[in-house]
Amino acid sequence: MRTVRPTYDEYFMRIACIVATRSTCLRRQVGAIIVKNNHILSTGYNGPPKGLPHCDETGCLRAERNVKRGERHELCRGLHAEQNAIIQAAVFGVSIKNGTIYSTHFPCSVCAKMLINAELQELVYHEGYPDTLAADLLKESNIKVRHMEGQCGKESCSP
């Protein structure tokens, strides 16, 4: 009897979901992984810069100021998952050019610009995010964008 194996898309999105569980963000946990040729190059989750206190310790500035989703990205002590995945690759000298990023959420406009300049070839995401500028920028770019349904539920992250 053969074991049913997940597709690479399912496998990588499940890993992005697990990466998201490292986040200490009080508003949403986001995970991202960058792959090339079906090999994981880098991972990232949303959280503060290295060595700084996490939001679950300091509180959420965005929540305190009633900032809406998709607005005022600079009012956060954390970096986004996509940013951390790109930075991790840079720190370790790993080229992500022509790679694919799997993210639990659609990126904000700042992250979309970073994905374009990093020359990623594809974005696969699970949940939407209300940033129309990001969607417009990605439409103008050469990045292929795909939405995956039903990949981050508890059942999909369990063995």
Side-chain angles (χ1 to χ4, degrees):
M1 187 173 193
R2 289 193 70 147
T3 303
V4 178
R5 295 173 68 191
T7 66
Y8 277 113
D9 279 345
E10 291 166 341
Y11 173 67
F12 292 132
M13 189 58 79
R14 287 178 186 174
I15 293 170
C17 293
I18 292 169
V19 170
T21 64
R22 292 282 305 151
S23 170
T24 57
C25 179
L26 301 174
R27 291 172 66 119
R28 87 186 38 79
Q29 292 184 310
V30 181
I33 68 168
I34 300 174
V35 303
K36 191 173 0 178
N37 299 324
N38 293 326
H39 288 63
I40 298 169
L41 302 177
S42 182
T43 67
Y45 53 88
N46 55 329
K50 290 179 185 177
L52 298 185
H54 288 263
C55 300
D56 60 357
E57 300 170 68
T58 64
C60 178
L61 182 60
R62 293 173 58 82
E64 291 169 12
R65 294 186 182 185
N66 292 320
V67 176
K68 294 179 186 174
R69 285 179 53 159
E71 296 180 6
R72 306 290 313 270
H73 303 290
E74 75 280 6
L75 292 178
C76 179
R77 46 185 302 107
L79 290 104
H80 291 185
E82 301 92 336
Q83 295 167 352
N84 275 325
I86 291 168
I87 291 166
Q88 182 186 47
V91 166
F92 290 102
V94 176
S95 173
I96 57 173
K97 183 177 180 175
N98 297 320
T100 298
I101 187 164
Y102 288 82
S103 182
T104 58
H105 292 71
F106 191 79
C108 72
S109 57
V110 173
C111 289
K113 290 182 274 188
M114 292 179 73
L115 300 180
I116 293 165
N117 274 4
E119 298 184 33
L120 291 169
Q121 70 178 6
E122 187 172 20
L123 160 68
V124 183
Y125 72 96
H126 171 61
E127 291 185 38
Y129 187 73
D131 191 328
T132 55
L133 178 57
D136 291 343
L137 290 167
L138 288 166
K139 282 179 189 171
E140 293 177 39
S141 77
N142 292 322
I143 296 178
K144 179 181 176 182
V145 178
R146 288 190 295 127
H147 177 233
M148 284 186 68
E149 294 281 346
Q151 297 302 313
C152 280
K154 290 180 183 175
E155 67 284 347
S156 68
C157 286
S158 58

